[in-house]
Amino acid sequence: SKTTIGLQDLDSLAQRSFPLCMRHLYTKVKEDHHLRHGGRQQLGLFLKGAGLKLEDALAFWRAEFSQKMGVEKFDKEYSYNVRHNYGREGKRTDYTPYSCMKIIMATPGVGDHHGCPFRHFSQENLHAVIGGLRLNAHTVDDIMGKVRNHHYQLACAATFEGVHGCQCDGINHPNQYFEQSQKVLN
Ligand code: SF4
């Protein structure tokens, strides 16, 4: 019973149902019309897992990247990678989206936007992002406390609960965050 999502749904889904790691990447690719490899993989495989079809994925990345580099360069240098992630090139492996553990263990460098905001953002930056979610002060303190104790996935679960106003079963995968959110909202 796998649902699919379309290109036209992405903006509102990102706003309402993406975990912070994916919202950040989505915002960045819309702002910069580019993402480095780690970000393309983390967001691209998540979108695939969320039900975005290959044709829509190609259209999404092409629409963003071509604003910086033109369609030809995108098709030549980046479309292969998108098809590859969908198992249409190379060894034809059907690559699976990254788990929280894998994302938390990543080591993003300067200019990278992949990783987990709870793990990789500075306290100030994270506080600003959490502050923008219109949660009550107690919830914000709770989230920041969990982060200080290195409980990143618990902080993400507390964020989910604050944003959705309901309990969550725990977060161990960004696609699981997305699916739980869609279940609550739909
Ligand atoms: Fe993403 Fe998982 Fe981090 Fe939440 S805990 S922001 S889903 S990597």
Side-chain angles (χ1 to χ4, degrees):
S1 68
K2 195 85 191 102
T3 53
T4 63
I5 60 174
L7 199 53
Q8 72 287 352
D9 309 322
L10 286 183
D11 282 350
S12 92
L13 289 172
Q15 207 42 248
R16 288 147 46 91
S17 287
F18 284 14
L20 288 188
C21 54
M22 301 303 172
R23 243 169 77 152
H24 180 59
L25 287 168
Y26 189 81
T27 305
K28 280 295 161 188
V29 72
K30 292 260 157 178
E31 268 173 27
D32 298 346
H33 311 301
H34 193 264
L35 271 185
R36 294 174 68 178
H37 182 74
R40 295 200 302 272
Q41 292 302 100
Q42 182 176 309
L43 179 61
L45 290 171
F46 166 80
L47 292 174
K48 177 177 109 167
L52 191 70
K53 295 285 181 220
L54 173 61
E55 286 316 310
D56 277 356
L58 279 169
F60 168 71
W61 293 107
R62 184 184 288 120
E64 294 306 326
F65 275 45
S66 65
Q67 293 180 50
K68 263 251 167 89
M69 62 180 59
V71 174
E72 241 170 67
K73 187 171 156 82
F74 172 84
D75 284 342
K76 212 165 121 218
E77 294 179 22
Y78 293 91
S79 66
Y80 176 93
N81 187 234
V82 178
R83 291 196 304 275
H84 192 259
N85 280 345
Y86 278 74
R88 307 295 171 82
E89 299 281 1
K91 283 185 292 180
R92 302 191 172 254
T93 313
D94 203 5
Y95 294 95
T96 47
Y98 296 172
S99 67
C100 291
M101 198 54 86
K102 184 173 168 101
I103 292 170
I104 288 168
M105 298 294 280
T107 52
V110 176
D112 283 327
H113 297 295
H114 65 282
C116 171
F118 298 104
R119 167 68 182 86
H120 295 111
F121 279 17
S122 68
Q123 292 267 321
E124 296 74 37
N125 196 1
L126 181 63
H127 197 270
V129 171
I130 300 291
L133 299 176
R134 299 149 134 262
L135 306 173
N136 66 45
H138 171 79
T139 305
V140 173
D141 287 348
D142 179 44
I143 293 167
M144 297 306 290
K146 286 179 162 68
V147 168
R148 276 192 297 278
N149 288 317
H150 309 288
H151 296 310
Y152 310 115
Q153 289 167 243
L154 293 181
C156 188
T159 304
F160 181 105
E161 294 183 347
V163 168
H164 294 84
C166 68
Q167 278 245 291
C168 101
D169 312 332
I171 300 298
N172 53 49
H173 200 292
N175 287 95
Q176 176 221 4
Y177 183 110
F178 176 75
E179 280 155 27
Q180 281 191 70
S181 170
Q182 285 290 287
K183 211 187 282 173
V184 171
L185 295 175
N186 290 330

